[in-house]
Amino acid sequence: MKYNGLTGKIITRQDLDYHKSRTNINASIPLYPRIIIFCQNKIDVQNAYRWAVRRSIPFRIRSRRHHFENYSLINDGIIIDVSEMNKIHVNGEKSIAKIEAGAKLGDVYDTLWKYRKTIPAGTSADIGITGLTLGGGIGYLTRFYGLTCDQLLEVECINATGHIIKASNKSNRDLFWALHGGGGGNFGIVTSLTYQLHAINKVNLFTIEWDWSDFQSALIAWQKWAIHADNELTTSIKMKANKTIIAEGIYLGNLENMKKLIYSLRNECKPQKFQIKETTFIHAFRYFNNPNENLPSSFKRSGSFIEKILSFEAVSKVKQLLEQAPNEQTFFKLQSLGGKIAEIQPKETAFYYRKALMVQEYRTDWTKQEDGWKGFRWIENVRQTLSNYTFGEYVNFPDRSIPNWGKGYYAENYPRLRQIKNDFDPTNRFHFQQSIH
């Protein structure tokens, strides 16, 4: 096949680095595209998109290879990869940053830190800023500053006709609304995002560990503490099948107030040990980043929102599920929400679950292919067992097993998202297994 009209770095099945280039983070779903185009600029993106459309070749959009279900890959199609479009332009005086779509979160944090600025986002250095933002974006600054998407000022993208357009509060406002939590890859190919920045310097990080025998009391105490604390505190708690329980997070207030908060939790359920440390924000990010989570592996991961504190009965079920897990690396995690997120109404942006108290996440890994079915079965068992205690699904934890995923991801905002999809992509050129249609 001739590739006249394509620009950027082109990788085909005949190239030595094809397999490295096609591999995403989830190795359990191998897919084999025909061509991978590593775009260097938005013109390369335009050319790749138009080339695929003219030849009726299916395509997918990819940034940092972190899609849990590998929807950014496709067999025998074209991958429009923007990972090498990663420039970050900062206006320190105006506290604004324009970030190309392929930038990874670690580079974003490092660059913004030079100006002592940041955005509320996640803790994984290698994850892409674009996918994180378009699905909402949750991290350890969330309760004070809101979701990552809440910081957006403008989004530039290639639309269904192949033209470069911009969406903001001043132009293409419906599209801008949809890009605040409507998920990636539905309405066009994002080439850059512009954010409002926030000043940051010192923070307080903390970790708290409990004994497994205190599972129920620790998790119930943590929930009440985490969701009722002031907005300067954002925290998570992870319970692993290896019988460890660790809460951690960031507090933006002063160290003395942080100590008081920790002591109040300790009085409710005495931990094995705890640590409080005042440090810089960038050091805190590097502390929480786990490089092993960025390596390709076989796993299944899912998650949903919680609007009420989990009862003793529900917490006991979580403990039982972890004790029945297929391996010791399996985990269940909760993160506190509320605060600034909840100040915006559910229909003001595409991200509907503004009133959720927490988001839950659960994951299991395996090394032998034949063990994969155990992981899938465990994840589904968690979903079914806890379904009465959860509501809605987080689109940044995509799961092909979710029934009625449109309602699950977007709830009452799905009809409006479908209308915007029809307005901006009437022939459904941007589609994948769980795309809005």
Side-chain angles (χ1 to χ4, degrees):
M1 175 181 287
K2 293 182 179 180
Y3 305 120
N4 294 338
L6 285 178
T7 54
K9 186 169 69 178
I10 301 170
I11 302 294
T12 70
R13 291 167 177 162
Q14 286 71 46
D15 289 299
L16 292 176
D17 55 353
Y18 170 77
H19 288 290
K20 180 181 179 181
S21 297
R22 72 163 183 84
T23 301
N24 274 13
I25 192 171
N26 191 343
S28 72
I29 311 172
L31 295 167
Y32 300 87
R34 186 187 309 183
I35 308 169
I36 304 167
I37 305 162
F38 288 97
C39 301
Q40 306 300 303
N41 52 57
K42 57 191 174 185
I43 303 303
D44 291 346
V45 178
Q46 277 185 304
N47 291 339
Y49 172 71
R50 290 170 173 170
W51 195 90
V53 168
R54 286 171 185 158
R55 290 160 179 78
S56 299
I57 299 175
F59 67 91
R60 293 290 183 269
I61 308 158
R62 187 175 72 172
S63 177
R64 299 302 312 182
R65 313 190 191 198
H66 272 256
H67 199 288
F68 296 162
E69 292 286 2
N70 279 356
Y71 292 164
S72 59
L73 291 175
I74 186 171
N75 280 325
D76 205 35
I78 295 174
I79 307 305
I80 303 174
D81 188 297
V82 299
S83 62
E84 295 183 8
M85 294 169 53
N86 51 32
K87 296 184 180 68
I88 303 167
H89 304 282
V90 181
N91 185 325
E93 290 186 3
K94 294 184 177 180
S95 291
I96 291 173
K98 183 176 182 180
I99 303 174
E100 287 191 325
K104 60 183 180 179
L105 185 58
D107 290 343
V108 171
Y109 279 150
D110 284 341
T111 301
L112 299 185
W113 175 248
K114 295 175 184 177
Y115 301 83
R116 297 304 185 262
K117 307 285 186 181
T118 196
I119 54 175
T123 57
S124 177
D126 201 53
I127 200 167
I129 188 64
T130 300
L132 174 74
T133 302
L134 299 181
I138 294 170
Y140 282 148
L141 300 178
T142 293
R143 298 186 75 241
F144 194 75
Y145 288 122
L147 301 170
T148 313
C149 69
D150 295 338
Q151 321 310 313
L152 282 173
L153 298 175
E154 183 179 85
V155 179
E156 181 186 82
C157 64
I158 311 297
N159 68 5
T161 62
H163 293 93
I164 299 171
I165 65 170
K166 294 181 179 180
S168 68
N169 280 324
K170 296 180 180 179
S171 64
N172 294 309
R173 294 180 65 181
D174 279 348
L175 178 60
F176 194 55
W177 177 92
L179 296 175
H180 284 68
N186 285 300
F187 306 99
I189 307 174
V190 171
T191 53
S192 70
L193 310 101
T194 302
Y195 298 87
Q196 183 68 59
L197 307 180
H198 301 279
I200 196 80
N201 197 341
K202 294 289 184 69
V203 300
N204 298 292
L205 68 81
F206 62 92
T207 58
I208 312 169
E209 297 183 35
W210 286 277
D211 188 82
W212 192 256
S213 62
D214 293 321
F215 190 103
Q216 286 94 332
S217 55
L219 187 47
I220 289 173
W222 175 88
Q223 289 180 93
K224 294 177 180 179
W225 177 77
I227 66 174
H228 293 304
D230 62 61
N231 295 350
E232 292 175 308
L233 176 78
T234 305
T235 174
S236 68
I237 186 168
K238 179 186 281 188
M239 295 73 67
K240 295 183 70 171
N242 65 0
K243 297 191 174 181
T244 58
I245 307 170
I246 301 176
E248 60 184 20
I250 283 179
Y251 180 67
L252 296 174
N254 63 58
L255 183 58
E256 289 306 310
N257 285 343
M258 176 76 266
K259 290 178 179 178
K260 291 177 184 178
L261 279 169
I262 296 294
Y263 294 154
S264 68
L265 176 58
R266 187 184 66 174
N267 291 338
E268 291 296 319
C269 183
K270 188 175 181 180
Q272 281 184 316
K273 57 182 177 179
F274 66 93
Q275 176 187 13
I276 307 170
K277 183 178 181 180
E278 184 181 57
T279 186
T280 61
F281 170 74
I282 199 66
H283 178 268
F285 164 69
R286 291 166 183 161
Y287 174 84
F288 291 127
N289 175 51
N290 181 1
N292 292 330
E293 290 186 355
N294 300 324
L295 301 174
S297 60
S298 295
F299 67 88
K300 180 69 176 178
R301 191 172 190 169
S302 195
S304 52
F305 294 99
I306 297 172
E307 60 179 343
K308 296 179 182 178
I309 289 177
L310 293 176
S311 64
F312 183 88
E313 177 187 54
V315 168
S316 297
K317 289 181 179 180
V318 173
K319 182 173 185 283
Q320 184 178 31
L321 286 163
L322 285 168
E323 290 174 345
Q324 297 170 348
N327 58 66
E328 289 193 345
Q329 296 309 306
T330 300
F331 72 78
F332 182 93
K333 181 179 179 181
L334 294 172
Q335 175 162 335
S336 61
L337 300 178
K340 193 75 172 179
I341 306 172
E343 293 179 11
I344 298 174
Q345 295 303 308
K347 292 190 176 182
E348 284 188 56
T349 68
F351 187 93
Y352 180 81
Y353 298 104
R354 297 278 178 175
K355 305 305 179 183
L357 297 181
M358 296 171 283
V359 62
Q360 69 170 9
E361 174 187 1
Y362 40 98
R363 168 174 170 158
T364 186
D365 295 61
W366 56 91
T367 54
K368 296 180 180 179
Q369 186 175 357
E370 58 268 25
D371 290 336
W373 67 272
K374 297 177 185 177
F376 283 95
R377 187 174 67 178
W378 186 82
I379 291 288
E380 188 58 32
N381 191 25
V382 174
R383 188 197 330 279
Q384 295 295 330
T385 302
L386 301 180
S387 60
N388 289 334
Y389 310 102
T390 64
F391 81 124
E393 318 293 342
Y394 184 27
V395 70
N396 278 356
F397 297 157
D399 183 350
R400 66 184 65 216
S401 303
I402 294 172
N404 197 6
W405 55 264
K407 183 178 180 181
Y409 292 146
Y410 308 114
E412 294 179 27
N413 287 336
Y414 192 43
R416 183 177 177 187
L417 283 165
R418 294 184 69 186
Q419 181 58 55
I420 295 169
K421 170 70 171 181
N422 187 61
D423 292 342
F424 283 88
D425 183 18
T427 57
N428 197 27
R429 285 177 173 170
F430 300 106
H431 66 270
F432 49 92
Q433 291 91 324
Q434 289 184 336
S435 58
I436 295 167
H437 62 273

